Amino acid sequence: MKITCPHCGEKSSISSSKKITQSLRELYCHCDNPLCDARFVMSLAHKHDTTPPRPVMEQAIIELVRRLSPREKRQLMDIIKQP
Ligand SMILES: [Zn+2]
């Protein structure tokens, strides 16, 4: 992964990183532009999921099915049985 230098806009390399929390890291960067040569720290954070983890999705489906009425469960089974 390349990071854009916030000073000159050229590409920078990540020389090391430090875990702050499970979803946040600090990236220690060095600008590849010899005329800039800046060293800086950027943050890399998990913002949100575009697809939740499979176990979370499976549990959500199980909970949804449990809340269905018997009639809705029969309708679901009919849909599943269709080729
Ligand atoms: Zn730079």
Side-chain angles (χ1 to χ4, degrees):
M1 180 166 80
K2 285 287 186 177
I3 302 292
T4 300
C5 174
H7 303 288
C8 71
E10 295 295 320
K11 290 187 176 181
S12 302
S13 299
I14 301 167
S15 49
S16 64
S17 68
K18 183 167 90 177
K19 179 180 176 179
I20 304 301
T21 67
Q22 181 66 24
S23 59
L24 176 64
R25 293 193 77 85
E26 286 183 345
L27 306 177
Y28 289 81
C29 306
H30 180 195
C31 180
D32 293 341
N33 176 3
L35 298 175
C36 176
D37 205 29
R39 292 174 190 267
F40 54 91
V41 180
M42 300 289 272
S43 295
L44 177 66
H46 171 255
K47 186 176 176 191
H48 62 271
D49 296 321
T50 54
T51 301
R54 186 176 298 269
V56 172
M57 294 287 283
E58 290 171 353
Q59 192 59 41
I61 291 168
I62 289 168
E63 289 300 319
L64 281 172
V65 170
R66 278 190 184 139
R67 293 178 188 181
L68 293 176
S69 68
R71 186 179 133 270
E72 291 168 325
K73 286 180 182 173
R74 281 194 301 276
Q75 287 176 326
L76 178 62
M77 291 306 292
D78 289 344
I79 292 169
I80 292 171
K81 289 176 184 172
Q82 288 178 358

XYZ file of all heavy atoms in Angstrom:
664
model
N 0.846 -1.179 0.000
C 0.000 0.000 0.000
C 0.888 1.239 0.000
O 1.848 1.318 0.745
C -0.892 -0.014 1.244
C -1.803 1.183 1.327
S -3.137 1.023 2.527
C -2.306 1.389 4.029
N 0.565 2.182 -0.852
C 1.311 3.438 -0.910
C 0.475 4.545 -0.282
O -0.745 4.584 -0.411
C 1.648 3.801 -2.354
C 2.780 2.970 -2.945
C 4.106 3.397 -2.356
C 5.256 2.677 -3.033
N 6.549 3.113 -2.555
N 1.142 5.448 0.349
C 0.503 6.595 0.993
C 0.965 7.849 0.254
O 2.139 7.964 -0.088
C 0.934 6.690 2.477
C 0.581 5.423 3.241
C 0.365 7.937 3.140
C -0.897 5.189 3.439
N 0.050 8.766 0.032
C 0.413 10.040 -0.581
C 0.963 10.976 0.492
O 0.345 11.161 1.547
C -0.825 10.677 -1.252
O -1.306 9.773 -2.252
C -0.462 12.001 -1.908
N 2.103 11.565 0.213
C 2.716 12.507 1.151
C 1.802 13.731 1.297
O 1.412 14.340 0.301
C 4.094 12.928 0.653
S 4.860 14.218 1.674
N 1.463 14.114 2.535
C 0.590 15.271 2.728
C 1.301 16.602 2.445
O 0.650 17.645 2.396
C 0.197 15.165 4.214
C 1.314 14.414 4.841
C 1.835 13.471 3.790
N 2.612 16.572 2.229
C 3.364 17.812 2.010
C 3.597 18.087 0.527
O 3.379 19.194 0.066
C 4.713 17.740 2.749
C 4.525 17.488 4.210
N 4.034 18.431 5.074
C 4.722 16.366 4.950
C 3.950 17.920 6.297
N 4.359 16.668 6.242
N 4.028 17.055 -0.231
C 4.353 17.288 -1.643
C 3.421 16.541 -2.599
O 3.462 16.778 -3.801
C 5.813 16.895 -1.910
S 6.105 15.114 -1.865
N 2.607 15.619 -2.090
C 1.673 14.886 -2.934
C 2.273 13.695 -3.655
O 1.569 13.002 -4.395
N 3.552 13.424 -3.438
C 4.188 12.262 -4.067
C 3.929 11.013 -3.209
O 3.436 11.111 -2.079
C 5.700 12.507 -4.211
C 6.043 13.653 -5.155
C 5.642 13.379 -6.596
O 5.820 12.234 -7.056
O 5.141 14.310 -7.251
N 4.318 9.864 -3.754
C 4.112 8.617 -3.020
C 5.104 8.502 -1.867
O 6.238 8.970 -1.957
C 4.239 7.428 -3.960
C 3.081 7.370 -4.928
C 3.082 6.122 -5.751
C 1.824 6.133 -6.616
N 1.705 4.979 -7.433
N 4.623 7.839 -0.807
C 5.450 7.611 0.370
C 5.401 6.138 0.718
O 4.451 5.441 0.376
C 4.932 8.418 1.556
O 4.909 9.788 1.239
N 6.424 5.676 1.411
C 6.484 4.283 1.837
C 6.160 4.186 3.318
O 6.475 5.085 4.097
C 7.887 3.725 1.597
O 8.197 3.778 0.224
N 5.535 3.066 3.698
C 5.261 2.798 5.115
C 6.471 2.046 5.656
O 6.790 0.948 5.194
C 3.984 1.949 5.279
C 2.796 2.682 4.671
C 3.747 1.616 6.748
C 1.562 1.806 4.493
N 7.156 2.639 6.603
C 8.348 1.977 7.143
C 8.007 1.079 8.324
O 8.676 0.069 8.546
C 9.402 3.009 7.538
O 8.835 4.023 8.326
N 6.971 1.413 9.068
C 6.526 0.550 10.167
C 5.119 0.989 10.570
O 4.609 2.011 10.098
C 7.481 0.643 11.363
O 7.477 1.942 11.896
N 4.505 0.209 11.445
C 3.180 0.578 11.940
C 3.046 0.142 13.382
O 3.780 -0.731 13.854
C 2.077 -0.043 11.076
O 2.049 -1.433 11.229
N 2.108 0.767 14.074
C 1.878 0.449 15.481
C 0.379 0.288 15.701
O -0.414 1.162 15.325
C 2.421 1.584 16.357
C 2.307 1.319 17.843
C 3.139 2.301 18.636
C 2.333 3.517 18.999
N 3.047 4.491 19.823
N -0.001 -0.850 16.297
C -1.409 -1.095 16.603
C -1.811 -0.231 17.796
O -1.186 -0.292 18.857
C -1.606 -2.577 16.928
C -3.018 -2.946 17.273
C -3.114 -4.431 17.570
C -4.515 -4.807 18.005
N -4.618 -6.249 18.278
N -2.855 0.566 17.604
C -3.377 1.396 18.690
C -4.556 0.681 19.344
O -4.620 0.554 20.553
C -3.817 2.779 18.159
C -2.649 3.462 17.425
C -4.351 3.656 19.289
C -1.413 3.667 18.278
N -5.493 0.245 18.510
C -6.618 -0.589 18.967
C -6.829 -1.662 17.912
O -6.128 -1.685 16.888
C -7.925 0.233 19.110
O -8.343 0.662 17.807
C -7.736 1.440 20.024
N -7.832 -2.531 18.113
C -8.127 -3.590 17.142
C -8.447 -3.011 15.763
O -8.181 -3.632 14.746
C -9.313 -4.431 17.648
C -9.709 -5.572 16.752
C -8.648 -6.659 16.657
O -7.816 -6.805 17.552
N -8.662 -7.392 15.563
N -8.981 -1.791 15.732
C -9.406 -1.225 14.446
C -8.665 0.065 14.085
O -9.098 0.784 13.194
C -10.916 -0.972 14.480
O -11.222 -0.081 15.530
N -7.586 0.361 14.770
C -6.815 1.568 14.460
C -5.321 1.295 14.542
O -4.836 0.732 15.512
C -7.185 2.695 15.446
C -6.391 3.999 15.314
C -6.659 4.659 13.962
C -6.740 4.942 16.456
N -4.597 1.695 13.476
C -3.138 1.574 13.441
C -2.547 2.926 13.082
O -3.161 3.719 12.370
C -2.676 0.550 12.391
C -3.047 -0.873 12.697
C -2.297 -1.839 11.799
N -0.926 -2.027 12.201
C -0.524 -2.893 13.128
N -1.390 -3.658 13.729
N 0.741 -2.996 13.442
N -1.352 3.182 13.567
C -0.576 4.332 13.136
C 0.467 3.831 12.151
O 1.158 2.846 12.426
C 0.105 5.015 14.322
C -0.836 5.808 15.190
C -0.141 6.549 16.318
O 1.025 6.243 16.619
O -0.777 7.422 16.902
N 0.571 4.510 10.997
C 1.517 4.128 9.962
C 2.653 5.149 9.943
O 2.408 6.345 9.762
C 0.833 4.099 8.590
C -0.432 3.243 8.477
C -1.037 3.382 7.088
C -0.149 1.796 8.812
N 3.857 4.677 10.128
C 5.027 5.554 10.089
C 5.534 5.559 8.648
O 5.918 4.528 8.104
C 6.093 5.079 11.078
C 5.651 5.326 12.506
C 4.775 4.448 13.134
C 6.060 6.461 13.183
C 4.326 4.686 14.422
C 5.625 6.707 14.482
C 4.762 5.819 15.096
O 4.310 6.073 16.363
N 5.494 6.741 8.025
C 5.732 6.850 6.583
C 6.948 7.721 6.294
O 7.317 8.592 7.089
C 4.508 7.465 5.902
S 2.970 6.594 6.249
N 7.501 7.464 5.106
C 8.662 8.217 4.625
C 8.397 8.590 3.177
O 8.170 7.721 2.328
C 9.923 7.345 4.742
C 11.170 8.013 4.284
N 12.320 7.319 4.022
C 11.460 9.314 4.021
C 13.261 8.147 3.617
N 12.765 9.360 3.614
N 8.429 9.882 2.863
C 8.166 10.334 1.505
C 9.284 9.852 0.571
O 10.472 9.981 0.879
C 8.071 11.861 1.479
S 7.740 12.516 -0.166
N 8.871 9.279 -0.582
C 9.839 8.755 -1.558
C 10.472 9.861 -2.405
O 11.432 9.615 -3.123
C 9.152 7.734 -2.478
C 8.743 6.473 -1.726
O 9.289 6.226 -0.625
O 7.866 5.747 -2.240
N 9.906 11.056 -2.352
C 10.446 12.182 -3.123
C 11.699 12.713 -2.427
O 11.618 13.259 -1.318
C 9.369 13.279 -3.225
C 9.844 14.527 -3.921
O 10.988 14.594 -4.395
N 8.974 15.522 -3.984
N 12.881 12.559 -3.045
C 14.120 12.997 -2.381
C 14.175 14.500 -2.109
O 14.902 14.936 -1.218
C 15.223 12.570 -3.360
C 14.549 12.357 -4.662
C 13.114 12.012 -4.373
N 13.386 15.279 -2.857
C 13.373 16.723 -2.621
C 12.514 17.095 -1.401
O 12.615 18.215 -0.884
C 12.862 17.459 -3.861
C 13.712 17.272 -5.122
C 13.047 17.957 -6.317
C 15.123 17.802 -4.903
N 11.671 16.181 -0.961
C 10.804 16.410 0.212
C 11.368 15.679 1.435
O 11.694 16.294 2.431
C 9.385 15.937 -0.104
S 8.243 16.056 1.289
N 11.454 14.339 1.298
C 12.068 13.496 2.331
C 11.371 13.598 3.693
O 11.987 13.366 4.733
C 13.550 13.847 2.462
C 14.372 12.688 3.026
O 13.963 11.527 2.800
O 15.391 12.948 3.688
N 10.075 13.957 3.712
C 9.355 14.094 4.983
C 9.108 12.725 5.612
O 8.991 11.713 4.923
C 8.022 14.808 4.750
N 9.027 12.718 6.915
C 8.617 11.536 7.681
C 7.396 11.966 8.481
O 7.400 13.035 9.090
C 9.739 11.066 8.599
C 10.918 10.519 7.821
C 12.081 10.181 8.721
N 13.265 9.891 7.940
C 13.620 8.678 7.543
N 12.884 7.638 7.891
N 14.697 8.497 6.803
N 6.379 11.124 8.458
C 5.105 11.499 9.101
C 4.346 10.256 9.518
O 4.695 9.129 9.146
C 4.261 12.372 8.159
C 4.034 11.761 6.806
C 2.938 10.979 6.559
C 4.965 11.965 5.777
C 2.754 10.398 5.316
C 4.781 11.406 4.534
C 3.666 10.618 4.304
N 3.325 10.449 10.315
C 2.489 9.364 10.823
C 1.070 9.566 10.311
O 0.522 10.663 10.414
C 2.493 9.331 12.366
C 1.611 8.203 12.883
C 3.924 9.187 12.891
N 0.512 8.510 9.732
C -0.876 8.532 9.260
C -1.662 7.511 10.081
O -1.076 6.596 10.666
C -0.959 8.150 7.773
C -0.184 9.065 6.843
S -0.927 10.682 6.659
C -2.044 10.362 5.300
N -2.981 7.664 10.101
C -3.854 6.711 10.790
C -4.554 5.829 9.766
O -4.980 6.313 8.718
C -4.912 7.444 11.611
O -4.302 8.169 12.642
N -4.661 4.575 10.099
C -5.425 3.618 9.293
C -6.496 3.040 10.208
O -6.174 2.381 11.201
C -4.518 2.506 8.756
C -5.203 1.406 7.960
C -5.778 1.965 6.668
C -4.222 0.288 7.653
N -7.759 3.341 9.902
C -8.841 2.927 10.785
C -9.925 2.179 10.025
O -10.200 2.481 8.864
C -9.455 4.161 11.449
N -10.518 1.209 10.697
C -11.689 0.536 10.155
C -12.860 1.494 10.336
O -13.124 1.959 11.453
C -11.942 -0.767 10.923
C -13.235 -1.414 10.580
N -14.318 -1.373 11.412
C -13.611 -2.099 9.490
C -15.319 -2.014 10.845
N -14.920 -2.466 9.678
N -13.543 1.811 9.240
C -14.642 2.770 9.326
C -15.982 2.049 9.464
O -16.724 2.266 10.389
C -14.648 3.677 8.092
C -15.654 4.778 8.160
C -15.533 5.703 6.953
C -16.624 6.758 7.003
N -16.712 7.490 5.751
N -16.299 1.194 8.506
C -17.522 0.410 8.578
C -17.398 -0.765 7.613
O -16.510 -0.788 6.756
C -18.754 1.262 8.239
C -18.733 1.814 6.840
N -18.169 3.017 6.528
C -19.198 1.310 5.674
C -18.297 3.243 5.230
N -18.916 2.205 4.693
N -18.290 -1.730 7.767
C -18.286 -2.903 6.890
C -19.173 -2.649 5.684
O -20.250 -2.059 5.821
C -18.822 -4.129 7.632
C -17.934 -4.510 8.795
O -16.711 -4.428 8.655
O -18.495 -4.900 9.836
N -18.744 -3.084 4.532
C -19.618 -3.087 3.367
C -20.349 -4.425 3.285
O -21.446 -4.504 2.728
C -18.832 -2.838 2.076
O -17.765 -3.794 1.996
C -18.258 -1.424 2.065
N -19.755 -5.473 3.837
C -20.396 -6.769 4.018
C -19.988 -7.259 5.404
O -18.795 -7.418 5.667
C -19.916 -7.791 2.962
O -20.214 -7.275 1.661
C -20.593 -9.127 3.146
N -20.953 -7.476 6.295
C -20.590 -7.950 7.634
C -19.927 -9.325 7.568
O -20.112 -10.056 6.589
C -21.940 -8.025 8.360
C -22.865 -7.179 7.569
C -22.378 -7.248 6.147
N -19.193 -9.702 8.603
C -18.577 -11.028 8.624
C -19.642 -12.121 8.504
O -20.758 -11.956 9.010
C -17.891 -11.085 9.996
C -17.740 -9.670 10.420
C -18.874 -8.921 9.791
N -19.279 -13.221 7.872
C -20.224 -14.321 7.614
C -20.939 -14.797 8.890
O -22.161 -14.966 8.867
C -19.495 -15.481 6.929
C -20.403 -16.602 6.481
C -19.619 -17.660 5.734
N -19.016 -17.126 4.520
C -19.593 -17.140 3.329
N -20.774 -17.689 3.192
N -18.982 -16.642 2.277
N -20.256 -14.986 10.028
C -20.982 -15.432 11.230
C -22.051 -14.439 11.682
O -23.115 -14.845 12.160
C -19.878 -15.560 12.291
C -18.624 -15.759 11.519
C -18.804 -14.955 10.259
N -21.807 -13.160 11.517
C -22.800 -12.145 11.893
C -24.018 -12.249 10.982
O -25.169 -12.195 11.440
C -22.178 -10.729 11.819
C -23.240 -9.651 12.016
C -21.060 -10.594 12.852
N -23.766 -12.414 9.679
C -24.868 -12.552 8.713
C -25.680 -13.819 9.009
O -26.916 -13.779 8.995
C -24.320 -12.619 7.285
C -23.661 -11.347 6.824
S -24.849 -10.053 6.498
C -25.455 -10.617 4.920
N -24.994 -14.932 9.281
C -25.694 -16.189 9.546
C -26.568 -16.072 10.792
O -27.706 -16.534 10.810
C -24.684 -17.333 9.685
C -24.028 -17.681 8.364
C -22.869 -18.657 8.498
O -22.483 -18.977 9.644
O -22.343 -19.081 7.460
N -26.052 -15.437 11.840
C -26.828 -15.275 13.070
C -28.040 -14.378 12.836
O -29.127 -14.633 13.360
C -25.945 -14.718 14.188
C -26.584 -14.792 15.552
C -26.944 -16.218 15.965
O -26.181 -17.155 15.730
N -28.126 -16.381 16.537
N -27.864 -13.332 12.028
C -28.975 -12.430 11.722
C -30.071 -13.178 10.966
O -31.268 -12.988 11.235
C -28.469 -11.240 10.903
N -29.673 -14.037 10.043
C -30.662 -14.820 9.279
C -31.404 -15.777 10.212
O -32.631 -15.910 10.147
C -29.976 -15.573 8.111
C -29.512 -14.563 7.068
C -30.914 -16.612 7.507
C -28.579 -15.128 6.017
N -30.660 -16.441 11.107
C -31.288 -17.371 12.062
C -32.312 -16.628 12.923
O -33.432 -17.105 13.129
C -30.210 -18.055 12.932
C -29.418 -19.043 12.069
C -30.829 -18.757 14.135
C -28.158 -19.567 12.725
N -31.955 -15.446 13.407
C -32.875 -14.660 14.237
C -34.112 -14.238 13.454
O -35.232 -14.272 13.982
C -32.167 -13.420 14.799
C -31.141 -13.733 15.856
C -31.732 -14.443 17.074
O -32.840 -14.071 17.515
O -31.086 -15.386 17.552
N -33.910 -13.866 12.182
C -35.053 -13.484 11.348
C -36.000 -14.656 11.140
O -37.220 -14.505 11.257
C -34.563 -12.966 9.990
C -34.040 -11.548 9.953
C -33.409 -11.249 8.596
C -35.161 -10.563 10.239
N -35.436 -15.821 10.855
C -36.275 -17.005 10.613
C -37.038 -17.384 11.887
O -38.217 -17.754 11.830
C -35.414 -18.184 10.087
C -36.215 -19.476 10.054
C -34.876 -17.861 8.696
N -36.385 -17.275 13.057
C -37.060 -17.601 14.324
C -38.284 -16.711 14.562
O -39.246 -17.131 15.176
C -36.086 -17.412 15.493
C -35.179 -18.571 15.689
C -34.423 -18.438 17.001
N -33.469 -19.525 17.126
C -32.244 -19.397 17.589
N -31.812 -18.236 18.022
N -31.450 -20.432 17.652
N -38.243 -15.495 14.094
C -39.340 -14.551 14.330
C -40.476 -14.666 13.320
O -41.497 -13.986 13.472
C -38.795 -13.116 14.317
C -37.875 -12.862 15.476
C -37.320 -11.486 15.430
N -36.292 -11.335 16.464
C -35.627 -10.240 16.688
N -35.853 -9.171 15.968
N -34.714 -10.201 17.626
N -40.284 -15.496 12.296
C -41.338 -15.661 11.297
C -42.514 -16.434 11.883
O -42.331 -17.324 12.728
C -40.799 -16.416 10.071
C -39.750 -15.713 9.217
C -39.262 -16.658 8.121
C -40.305 -14.431 8.609
N -43.710 -16.116 11.433
C -44.891 -16.884 11.824
C -44.829 -18.237 11.114
O -44.096 -18.389 10.124
C -46.161 -16.128 11.409
O -46.253 -16.115 9.988
N -45.591 -19.222 11.597
C -45.612 -20.533 10.904
C -45.958 -20.383 9.419
O -45.385 -21.072 8.571
C -46.686 -21.315 11.663
C -46.642 -20.733 13.040
C -46.357 -19.266 12.840
N -46.896 -19.483 9.099
C -47.276 -19.282 7.698
C -46.089 -18.729 6.892
O -45.814 -19.176 5.780
C -48.470 -18.304 7.636
C -49.046 -18.125 6.253
C -50.246 -17.155 6.253
N -50.097 -16.199 5.176
C -49.479 -15.007 5.277
N -48.974 -14.612 6.425
N -49.362 -14.216 4.245
N -45.398 -17.765 7.465
C -44.243 -17.183 6.768
C -43.122 -18.214 6.601
O -42.439 -18.243 5.583
C -43.719 -15.959 7.538
C -44.679 -14.782 7.487
C -44.313 -13.680 8.466
O -43.817 -14.005 9.581
O -44.537 -12.504 8.128
N -42.965 -19.087 7.594
C -41.948 -20.149 7.482
C -42.296 -21.110 6.350
O -41.416 -21.551 5.610
C -41.806 -20.907 8.805
C -41.082 -20.120 9.870
C -40.962 -20.909 11.165
C -40.260 -20.048 12.224
N -40.245 -20.674 13.539
N -43.587 -21.442 6.208
C -44.011 -22.320 5.098
C -43.732 -21.638 3.755
O -43.261 -22.269 2.809
C -45.493 -22.665 5.231
C -45.774 -23.770 6.257
C -47.196 -24.320 6.130
N -48.232 -23.306 6.317
C -48.692 -22.920 7.520
N -48.242 -23.476 8.608
N -49.607 -21.976 7.590
N -44.030 -20.331 3.692
C -43.771 -19.590 2.444
C -42.272 -19.602 2.121
O -41.871 -19.771 0.973
C -44.258 -18.148 2.575
C -45.757 -18.013 2.552
C -46.201 -16.569 2.776
O -45.552 -15.823 3.525
N -47.296 -16.192 2.141
N -41.452 -19.432 3.150
C -40.000 -19.460 2.950
C -39.546 -20.821 2.447
O -38.738 -20.918 1.518
C -39.282 -19.103 4.258
C -37.766 -19.143 4.225
C -37.209 -18.134 3.217
C -37.191 -18.867 5.607
N -40.084 -21.886 3.047
C -39.717 -23.238 2.617
C -40.137 -23.482 1.168
O -39.403 -24.120 0.405
C -40.354 -24.293 3.537
C -39.774 -24.318 4.932
S -37.970 -24.506 4.960
C -37.813 -26.161 4.367
N -41.292 -22.934 0.774
C -41.739 -23.081 -0.620
C -40.756 -22.381 -1.566
O -40.443 -22.887 -2.646
C -43.133 -22.498 -0.806
C -44.223 -23.358 -0.132
O -43.927 -24.531 0.189
O -45.329 -22.826 0.078
N -40.275 -21.213 -1.155
C -39.315 -20.474 -1.988
C -38.002 -21.260 -2.105
O -37.427 -21.387 -3.183
C -39.058 -19.069 -1.387
C -40.300 -18.212 -1.504
C -37.863 -18.407 -2.067
C -40.226 -16.907 -0.706
N -37.555 -21.827 -0.968
C -36.276 -22.567 -0.962
C -36.375 -23.802 -1.848
O -35.417 -24.157 -2.535
C -35.888 -22.948 0.489
C -35.542 -21.687 1.281
C -34.740 -23.941 0.508
C -35.348 -21.902 2.765
N -37.554 -24.445 -1.861
C -37.735 -25.692 -2.623
C -37.795 -25.454 -4.128
O -37.610 -26.377 -4.902
C -39.008 -26.414 -2.165
C -38.886 -27.026 -0.786
C -40.203 -27.636 -0.367
C -40.109 -28.158 1.065
N -41.428 -28.588 1.556
N -38.074 -24.192 -4.536
C -38.190 -23.919 -5.974
C -36.818 -24.071 -6.645
O -35.809 -23.642 -6.093
C -38.696 -22.484 -6.191
C -40.155 -22.316 -5.832
C -40.617 -20.868 -6.008
O -39.843 -20.004 -6.353
N -41.886 -20.643 -5.755
N -36.830 -24.693 -7.843
C -35.557 -24.875 -8.552
C -34.956 -23.561 -9.043
O -35.577 -22.604 -9.233
C -35.905 -25.771 -9.738
C -37.390 -25.720 -9.893
C -37.960 -25.243 -8.584
Zn 6.742 14.526 0.287
